[in-house]
Amino acid sequence: MYDVIRTFGADYILFDIIFLIIFLFLLIKFNKKISIFAFFIGGLGINLLVDWGIWLHTGIREIALPLNWDVFLFFLWFSLSYGVEYAYIFIMFQKKSDKLGWTALVFGGWLAIAFLSQFISINDSSIMTLRHMSSLRFIEIGILIIGYGLLFLLKYDWKKISYLFLIGFLIHFMMEFSLLISGIRPGSLLILIENSLIEFNMGIPFFYMFYDKYLKRKFE
């Protein structure tokens, strides 16, 4: 097993906040109510709770911040940044949505953030985040198997299940690839593919069932 490490300058946060503002503006403009809901609930209700509330206090997550930085405020941004993933998948769940356009926006935005923070020096104060995977991987694989097993048991079409798996792979791959190719995340293509197959994908079946059975009837 291995550790997942990210090392970046403080100006990465600045560029990411600009992207988050643009992304939220477009969600509001195009009336993506479910995705706006997913952005905040996923980012703050899931990622902040797990990353800051559990992992940081149990030693699974470690961070190194510039002097006098507030740890909670850092995790507030860090979690909202991951909110893009949650918003994206609910856009992809919808039949009538510009899937290619939103994919290009998210992938292009993440690449721009990564490379702009490397090439434009605004604040190069170093930040490091580290996540120990040894105690988590088998749990993640178990959740993945249970989730997709439920989809089969509930008799969802295999084409739908394959599409959902592709979405889960794609959203994580896009983020991890932008970090890997810009030198922010050390690793290899093999590790990138492994993470993309499992990490966000394990939640996709549960998110889709919630969308299919409840959210689309209420909001669409």
Side-chain angles (χ1 to χ4, degrees):
M1 295 296 180
Y2 52 87
D3 294 331
V4 177
I5 304 171
R6 185 193 298 199
T7 305
F8 54 99
D11 45 18
Y12 181 98
I13 298 176
L14 172 63
F15 290 115
D16 190 67
I17 289 173
I18 293 171
F19 172 68
L20 292 178
I21 292 171
I22 294 171
F23 184 72
L24 273 173
F25 170 79
L26 292 174
L27 290 179
I28 294 169
K29 179 179 179 181
F30 291 102
N31 198 31
K32 298 296 182 182
K33 294 177 182 178
I34 296 177
S35 289
I36 295 170
F37 171 83
F39 175 85
F40 288 104
I41 297 300
L44 299 179
I46 298 176
N47 266 69
L48 184 63
L49 175 64
V50 173
D51 226 348
W52 174 79
I54 300 174
W55 287 355
L56 181 66
H57 295 90
T58 57
I60 293 173
R61 169 73 75 188
E62 296 182 34
I63 62 169
L65 298 175
L67 188 64
N68 296 325
W69 275 43
D70 186 273
V71 174
F72 179 77
L73 287 179
F74 171 81
F75 273 101
L76 188 63
W77 159 75
F78 198 59
S79 300
L80 282 174
S81 183
Y82 275 101
V84 173
E85 294 190 76
Y86 296 95
Y88 173 84
I89 63 169
F90 281 94
I91 290 173
M92 301 299 280
F93 290 163
Q94 298 172 7
K95 290 183 178 180
K96 296 180 179 180
S97 61
D98 184 2
K99 296 177 175 61
L100 183 60
W102 285 100
T103 300
L105 170 69
V106 171
F107 190 33
W110 282 340
L111 286 172
I113 293 164
F115 282 106
L116 285 173
S117 69
Q118 298 290 77
F119 295 141
I120 299 178
S121 181
I122 298 174
N123 184 344
D124 290 330
S125 298
S126 180
I127 298 169
M128 185 277 293
T129 68
L130 182 150
R131 176 160 44 94
H132 300 289
M133 292 301 302
S134 58
S135 61
L136 298 175
R137 184 57 91 205
F138 290 113
I139 295 174
E140 291 176 338
I141 293 172
I143 295 171
L144 180 78
I145 293 172
I146 291 170
Y148 281 96
L150 279 173
L151 292 179
F152 279 105
L153 288 174
L154 293 172
K155 301 186 185 303
Y156 282 96
D157 183 77
W158 70 269
K159 292 181 181 179
K160 172 64 71 174
I161 296 173
S162 299
Y163 172 71
L164 294 175
F165 192 87
L166 176 63
I167 292 171
F169 173 86
L170 181 63
I171 185 59
H172 202 77
F173 181 88
M174 291 192 298
M175 172 176 274
E176 294 288 327
F177 181 79
S178 69
L179 299 176
L180 178 66
I181 198 173
S182 62
I184 293 173
R185 173 94 78 204
S188 66
L189 183 61
L190 182 62
I191 292 175
L192 168 62
I193 292 173
E194 178 186 331
N195 288 342
S196 301
L197 287 170
I198 299 170
E199 292 199 356
F200 203 81
N201 231 331
M202 64 181 179
I204 292 292
F206 305 102
F207 294 135
Y208 182 74
M209 285 185 281
F210 182 53
Y211 165 79
D212 187 48
K213 302 299 184 183
Y214 176 72
L215 287 180
K216 73 178 182 181
R217 292 186 176 89
K218 185 175 180 61
F219 289 100
E220 294 183 1

